[in-house]
């Protein structure tokens, strides 16, 4: 029944038929969501259970599940690609907003890093093959195949609005999305196990060991009965641990693109909407900027890298050096977050003088971007509020306590004002397009040169169909291009703001993604909440905060292009 509806005529169907189509659409979506929820809950149960003591679930069970899921998802992806190639009418529409080039480029970059990580993982487990299960070597090899197939699939099919095998396609996309989320959760748990094991090794307090993850069972960085003693084994081990952040981001990027594809299954687009979008064909990174934003952002990026290196070197040393490292770390973050807050506020103020029309077109990609920005920010909100309570109620009156409090407050303000700026930017129309006047007017046609000062005093121009087509949209676009320089300074400011925030978000992603954990080095929260509760809060909320930074980078790049 769903295929008959999908292969029907492209004209607008009558009301009863449209109602029937909508019922099937909701039914297919419900079926695919139920499948995804059940598979994801099973994966979460095994992954979380395999990471803790007193649970008879081992890393080999988790690897077996993930390998099976990746094989099934790869087979379905190949089926989709083969079906769309053999059936030219399977994809009658393509969503211009879905899968922008910078998102697909980021997916390819993170995919390459994930492949390198799989090579290191394969080498690590092959170093003691004689006493390890074969599934531990099969898992990274399968993941490499899955990453290659999925990256090609998303590169060529991210914009598809497919109209064949609707229910099967929805279920396949949701299963592939669930596979990526399961890989993400496994990587996050493995990274958390590694961080907890490092914290245990550097602290003599063993009162919380009963609640901590077991690195030997989780298969993170300890070989169990197969110790990693050789130099090559150590290189492989450290290599794949440092590449985990890229694997995490790859899974999340793929999940967002798959969700948009799932929303576009069976979607009908008007013929004029095929190419509707604001992305220009040519993008120059520093074109039409004042250079203040990129230069200041690059300065903060370089200083942030230096601060991160100093923090990593000193934080594991003696107590005095740890305090110094924390003061430097918090001071840099306070300055960076304060500047980002002020810049985001200035961007919102500029929009008060911007006369560009708001874009109210249906856009699943933009809707998902807004939801992810708001949802991912909740993780950092939670950590910040827990820190504020610990500092205020615990009443530490030293310098470190004051820096911790200022850092938490600025983190909340920065996330809030940056979200406001990004969301408003994503809903703005292209440059030069002002709100439409509903009063019918005769469009000006045939303009090849105009005095900007006299343009508003011109009477209605006689029609010249030879120079400009009869489409009112074409005339409106021509006038918009002529009027665009009037807001040139605003566009430059917005581009500078976007690039500055983009570079700052990159350095604020690098620090926690590659191991900076002031949450544990600073003992205020650990002493107030206890290690077990605080570790659970950080390990659950921090991955969302890390994802927020990279997703903000993607959104800010789109804001820069649209400005």
């Amino acid at each position: 029944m769903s295929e008959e509806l999908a292969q029907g005529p492209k004209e607008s169907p009558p009301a009863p038929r449209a109602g029937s189509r909508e019922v099937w659409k909701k039914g297919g979506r419900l079926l695919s969501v139920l499948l995804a929820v059940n598979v994801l809950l099973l994966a979460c149960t095994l992954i979380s259970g395999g990471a803790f003591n007193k649970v008879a679930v081992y890393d080999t069970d988790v690897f077996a599940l993930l390998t099976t899921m990746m094989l099934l998802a790869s087979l379905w992806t190949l089926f989709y690609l083969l079906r769309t190639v053999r059936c030219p009418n399977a994809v009658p529409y393509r969503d211009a907003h879905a899968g922008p080039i910078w998102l697909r480029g980021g997916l390819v970059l993170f995919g390459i890093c994930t492949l390198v990580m799989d090579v290191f993982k394969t080498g690590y487990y092959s170093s003691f093959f004689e006493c390890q299960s074969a599934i531990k070597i099969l898992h990274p090899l399968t993941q490499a195949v899955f990453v290659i197939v999925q990256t090609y699939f998303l590169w060529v099919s991210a914009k598809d609005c497919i109209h064949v095998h609707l229910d099967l396609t929805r279920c396949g996309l949701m299963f592939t999305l669930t596979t990526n989320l399961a890989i993400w959760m496994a990587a996050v748990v493995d990274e958390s196990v590694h961080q907890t094991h490092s914290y245990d090794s550097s602290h003599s307090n063993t009162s919380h060991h009963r609640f901590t993850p077991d690195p030997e069972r989780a298969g993170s960085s300890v070989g169990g009965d197969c110790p990693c003693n050789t130099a090559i084994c150590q290189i492989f081990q450290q290599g794949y641990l440092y590449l985990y952040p890229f694997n995490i981001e790859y899974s999340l990027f793929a999940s967002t693109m798959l969700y948009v594809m799932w929303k576009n299954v069976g979607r009908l687009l008007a013929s004029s909407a095929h190419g509707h979008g604001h992305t220009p064909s040519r993008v120059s990174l520093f074109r039409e900027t004042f250079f203040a934003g990129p230069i200041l952002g690059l300065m903060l990026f370089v200083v942030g890298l230096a601060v991160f290196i100093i923090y990593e070197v000193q934080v594991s040393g003696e107590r005095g050096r740890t305090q110094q490292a924390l003061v430097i770390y918090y001071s840099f973050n306070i300055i960076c977050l304060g500047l980002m807050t002020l810049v985001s506020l200035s961007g919102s103020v500029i929009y008060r003088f911007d006369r560009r029309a708001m874009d109210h077109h249906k856009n699943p990609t933009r809707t998902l971007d807004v939801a992810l920005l708001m949802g991912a920010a909740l993780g950092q909100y939670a950590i910040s509020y827990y820190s504020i309570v610990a500092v205020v109620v615990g009443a530490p009156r030293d310098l470190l306590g004051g820096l911790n409090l200022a850092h938490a407050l600025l983190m909340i303000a920065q996330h809030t004002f940056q979200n406001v700026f990004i969301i408003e930017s994503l809903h703005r129309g292209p440059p030069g397009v002002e709100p439409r006047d509903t009063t019918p007017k005769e469009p000006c046609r045939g303009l090849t040169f105009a005095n900007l000062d006299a343009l508003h005093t011109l009477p209605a121009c006689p029609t010249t169909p030879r120079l400009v087509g009869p489409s009112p949209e074409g005339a409106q676009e021509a006038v918009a291009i002529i009027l665009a320089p009037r807001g040139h300074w605003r566009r430059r400011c917005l581009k500078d703001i976007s690039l500055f925030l983009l570079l700052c978000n990159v350095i604020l992603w690098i620090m926690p993604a590659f191991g900076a954990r002031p949450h544990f080095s600073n003992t205020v929260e650990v002493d107030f909440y206890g290690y077990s509760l605080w570790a659970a809060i950080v390990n659950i909320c921090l991955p969302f905060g890390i994802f927020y930074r990279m997703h903000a980078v993607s959104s800010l790049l789109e804001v820069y292009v649209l400005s």
Side-chain angles (χ1 to χ4, degrees):
M1 179 66 179
S2 59
E3 291 194 28
E4 293 178 1
L5 293 174
Q7 296 175 357
K10 298 180 182 178
E11 295 86 355
S12 299
R17 179 116 172 150
S20 164
R21 179 186 292 273
E22 185 66 22
V23 170
W24 277 104
K25 182 177 181 179
K26 291 181 178 179
R29 286 185 174 180
L30 178 61
L31 176 64
S32 60
V33 169
L34 289 175
L35 171 66
V37 168
N38 282 275
V39 174
L40 185 60
L41 288 177
L42 173 61
C44 291
T45 302
L46 286 178
I47 293 170
S48 59
F52 290 88
N53 290 321
K54 311 297 183 183
V55 180
V57 177
Y58 294 89
D59 54 354
T60 52
D61 302 322
V62 177
F63 287 151
L65 174 66
L66 294 177
T67 301
T68 303
M69 293 176 67
M70 288 187 292
L71 286 174
L72 292 175
S74 299
L75 290 174
W76 177 85
T77 302
L78 293 173
F79 166 78
Y80 179 98
L81 293 171
L82 181 63
R83 179 61 178 170
T84 52
V85 168
R86 296 183 61 181
C87 182
N89 297 325
V91 185
Y93 308 105
R94 288 176 67 82
D95 185 358
H97 296 282
I101 185 63
W102 54 85
L103 188 61
R104 288 180 289 159
L107 183 78
V108 172
L109 174 63
F110 291 133
I112 293 173
C113 295
T114 300
L115 292 176
V116 177
M117 186 201 73
D118 290 329
V119 171
F120 279 103
K121 254 191 172 182
T122 305
Y124 169 67
Y125 286 118
S126 300
S127 300
F128 32 81
F129 174 75
E130 64 280 355
C131 60
Q132 287 284 4
S133 174
I135 192 66
K136 291 188 176 181
I137 299 178
L138 183 61
H139 171 261
L141 294 176
T142 305
Q143 181 169 269
V145 175
F146 172 71
V147 167
I148 294 173
V149 172
Q150 180 176 251
T151 303
Y152 174 76
F153 162 67
L154 291 175
W155 182 270
V156 301
S157 305
K159 298 178 180 293
D160 288 0
C161 298
I162 192 169
H163 278 249
V164 297
H165 301 303
L166 299 181
D167 294 341
L168 178 61
T169 302
R170 289 192 180 100
C171 291
L173 287 170
M174 265 297 166
F175 182 81
T176 309
L177 189 153
T178 304
T179 302
N180 282 279
L181 291 180
I183 295 172
W184 168 76
M185 184 176 181
V188 168
V189 168
D190 205 0
E191 177 68 14
S192 300
V193 167
H194 173 67
Q195 293 291 338
T196 304
H197 180 63
S198 300
Y199 180 86
D200 288 344
S201 301
S202 59
H203 291 74
S204 57
N205 181 19
T206 58
S207 60
H208 52 73
H209 284 182
R210 186 172 64 90
F211 301 98
T212 58
D214 184 357
E216 182 175 324
R217 294 164 62 91
S220 63
S221 58
V222 179
D225 297 332
C226 309
C228 185
N229 296 325
T230 62
I232 188 67
C233 180
Q234 293 286 341
I235 293 174
F236 284 142
Q237 178 185 3
Q238 294 301 320
Y240 91 78
L241 287 174
Y242 276 108
L243 288 170
Y244 259 132
F246 299 104
N247 182 30
I248 291 172
E249 295 303 327
Y250 174 84
S251 300
L252 293 176
F253 269 48
S255 298
T256 58
M257 297 176 72
L258 288 165
Y259 175 80
V260 174
M261 287 188 66
W262 176 77
K263 290 285 289 185
N264 282 332
V265 172
R267 184 181 174 193
L268 296 173
L269 297 177
S271 58
S272 61
H274 286 212
H276 180 74
H278 306 323
T279 304
S281 58
R282 296 177 60 188
V283 178
S284 178
L285 187 58
F286 297 110
R287 186 181 179 184
E288 296 184 351
T289 66
F290 291 119
F291 292 100
I295 292 175
L296 183 57
L298 285 173
M299 290 174 57
L300 284 176
F301 181 83
V302 174
V303 173
L305 286 179
V307 169
F308 175 64
I309 294 172
I310 293 173
Y311 172 84
E312 286 293 302
V313 171
Q314 293 187 353
V315 76
S316 58
E318 58 187 19
R319 178 67 178 173
R321 298 184 66 183
T322 300
Q323 291 288 103
Q324 182 182 2
L326 287 171
V327 170
I328 296 174
Y329 182 89
Y330 279 128
S331 299
F332 169 78
N333 277 267
I334 288 172
I335 294 173
C336 185
L337 292 172
L339 290 175
M340 293 174 71
T341 302
L342 293 176
V343 168
S344 299
L345 275 172
S346 64
S348 299
V349 171
I350 290 175
Y351 277 131
R352 304 286 75 80
F353 301 95
D354 195 352
R355 297 183 60 190
R356 280 189 292 166
M358 300 297 289
D359 184 4
H360 299 292
H361 292 88
K362 183 179 179 181
N363 187 345
T365 304
R366 182 176 59 203
T367 302
L368 178 62
D369 287 339
V370 173
L372 290 177
L373 284 172
M374 299 298 293
L378 295 178
Q380 195 59 60
Y381 281 155
I383 294 177
S384 297
Y385 280 117
Y386 275 104
S387 296
I388 291 171
V389 172
V391 173
V392 174
V393 178
R397 297 291 181 254
D398 56 352
L399 173 62
L400 197 57
L403 291 175
N404 193 2
L405 179 61
H407 176 263
L409 291 173
L410 282 173
M411 188 69 76
I412 295 172
Q414 189 272 323
H415 278 72
T416 301
F417 292 115
Q418 181 173 269
N419 278 350
V420 171
F421 170 72
I422 293 176
I423 292 172
E424 184 170 7
S425 300
L426 294 177
H427 284 82
R428 290 283 174 173
V433 178
E434 299 184 359
R436 290 185 179 181
D437 190 355
T438 55
T439 306
K441 297 179 180 179
E442 178 66 24
C444 292
R445 300 188 177 94
L447 284 174
T448 58
F449 174 80
N451 183 348
L452 297 178
D453 296 327
L455 181 63
H456 298 284
T457 62
L458 285 177
C461 303
T463 59
T464 54
R466 292 184 297 106
L467 299 178
V468 180
S471 171
E473 288 80 4
Q476 182 186 11
E477 185 176 347
V479 175
I481 294 174
I482 295 173
L483 292 176
R486 296 174 64 88
H488 190 62
W489 70 270
R490 289 195 297 266
R491 295 202 307 277
R492 285 197 171 194
C493 289
L494 291 173
K495 287 178 179 292
D496 274 49
I497 290 171
S498 302
L499 287 178
F500 173 77
L501 293 176
L502 186 151
L503 291 169
C504 290
N505 276 280
V506 170
I507 189 60
L508 293 179
W509 171 77
I510 289 176
M511 288 184 170
F514 288 90
R517 294 292 185 273
H519 320 84
F520 299 113
S521 304
N522 180 16
T523 58
V524 174
E525 293 91 345
V526 176
D527 295 339
F528 186 81
Y529 294 108
Y531 178 82
S532 301
L533 176 59
W534 183 238
I537 294 169
V538 173
N539 289 334
I540 292 173
C541 297
L542 188 60
F544 293 98
I546 295 173
F547 168 68
Y548 171 86
R549 292 299 177 189
M550 188 50 62
H551 188 67
V553 168
S554 175
S555 299
L556 285 166
L557 186 57
E558 184 171 0
V559 171
Y560 172 82
V561 173
L562 297 181
S563 297

Coordinates of all heavy atoms in Angstrom, one line a residue, residues 2 122 147 162 189 205 225 273 313 323 338 367 389 400 455 482 519 521 556:
S2 N 2.0 1.2 0.8 CA 2.8 2.4 0.9 C 3.5 2.6 -0.4 O 3.8 3.8 -0.8 CB 3.9 2.2 2.0 OG 4.6 1.1 1.7
T122 N 43.1 -2.3 16.0 CA 43.4 -3.6 15.5 C 44.9 -4.0 15.9 O 45.2 -5.1 16.3 CB 43.3 -3.6 14.0 OG1 41.9 -3.2 13.7 CG2 43.5 -5.0 13.4
V147 N 32.2 2.4 8.5 CA 32.5 3.9 8.4 C 32.6 4.2 6.9 O 32.1 5.2 6.4 CB 33.7 4.3 9.1 CG1 34.2 5.7 8.8 CG2 33.4 4.2 10.6
I162 N 13.3 10.1 -0.6 CA 13.0 8.8 -1.3 C 11.5 8.5 -1.2 O 10.8 8.8 -0.2 CB 13.8 7.7 -0.7 CG1 13.7 6.4 -1.6 CG2 13.4 7.3 0.7 CD1 14.7 5.4 -1.3
V189 N 31.5 5.6 27.2 CA 31.7 4.8 28.4 C 33.2 4.4 28.5 O 33.8 4.4 29.5 CB 30.8 3.5 28.3 CG1 31.2 2.5 29.4 CG2 29.4 4.0 28.5
N205 N 42.9 7.3 47.8 CA 41.6 6.9 48.4 C 40.9 5.8 47.6 O 40.7 5.9 46.4 CB 40.7 8.2 48.4 CG 39.4 7.9 49.0 OD1 39.2 7.0 49.8 ND2 38.4 8.8 48.7
D225 N 44.8 -10.3 31.5 CA 45.8 -11.3 31.5 C 46.8 -11.1 30.4 O 47.8 -11.9 30.3 CB 45.1 -12.7 31.4 CG 44.2 -13.0 32.5 OD1 44.5 -12.4 33.6 OD2 43.3 -13.7 32.3
A273 N 10.7 24.6 -4.7 CA 11.5 24.4 -3.5 C 12.7 23.5 -3.7 O 13.4 23.3 -2.8 CB 10.6 23.9 -2.4
V313 N 50.3 18.9 31.6 CA 51.6 18.6 32.2 C 51.7 18.8 33.7 O 52.2 17.9 34.4 CB 52.7 19.5 31.5 CG1 54.1 19.3 32.2 CG2 52.8 19.2 30.0
Q323 N 47.3 23.2 41.7 CA 46.6 24.5 41.9 C 46.9 25.6 40.9 O 46.0 26.3 40.4 CB 46.9 25.0 43.3 CG 46.4 24.1 44.5 CD 44.9 24.2 44.6 OE1 44.1 23.4 44.2 NE2 44.5 25.3 45.2
G338 N 33.7 35.1 28.8 CA 33.3 36.5 28.9 C 33.2 37.2 27.5 O 32.2 37.9 27.2
T367 N 15.3 22.7 12.1 CA 14.6 22.3 13.3 C 15.4 21.4 14.2 O 15.5 21.5 15.4 CB 13.3 21.6 12.9 OG1 12.5 22.5 12.1 CG2 12.5 21.2 14.2
V389 N 26.2 25.3 43.3 CA 25.7 24.9 44.7 C 26.9 24.4 45.5 O 27.0 24.8 46.7 CB 24.7 23.7 44.5 CG1 24.3 23.2 45.9 CG2 23.5 24.3 43.8
L400 N 40.6 29.7 44.2 CA 40.2 28.7 43.3 C 38.6 28.5 43.3 O 38.0 28.3 42.3 CB 40.8 27.3 43.6 CG 40.7 26.2 42.5 CD1 41.3 26.7 41.2 CD2 41.5 25.0 43.0
L455 N 17.2 55.7 -5.9 CA 16.4 54.5 -6.2 C 15.1 54.5 -5.6 O 14.1 54.1 -6.3 CB 17.2 53.3 -5.7 CG 16.5 51.9 -6.0 CD1 16.5 51.7 -7.5 CD2 17.3 50.8 -5.3
I482 N 20.6 45.0 -5.5 CA 21.0 46.4 -5.6 C 21.0 47.1 -4.2 O 21.8 47.9 -3.8 CB 20.0 47.2 -6.5 CG1 20.2 46.7 -7.9 CG2 20.3 48.7 -6.5 CD1 19.2 47.2 -8.9
H519 N 37.0 19.1 36.6 CA 35.9 18.7 37.6 C 36.5 17.8 38.6 O 35.9 17.8 39.8 CB 34.8 18.0 36.8 CG 34.5 18.7 35.5 ND1 35.2 18.4 34.3 CD2 33.6 19.6 35.1 CE1 34.7 19.1 33.3 NE2 33.7 19.8 33.8
S521 N 40.1 17.4 39.2 CA 41.3 18.0 39.7 C 41.0 19.0 40.8 O 41.7 19.2 41.8 CB 42.2 18.7 38.6 OG 42.5 17.8 37.6
L556 N 27.6 27.7 13.4 CA 28.2 29.0 13.2 C 28.8 29.1 11.8 O 28.8 30.2 11.2 CB 29.3 29.2 14.3 CG 28.7 29.5 15.7 CD1 29.9 29.4 16.7 CD2 28.1 30.9 15.7

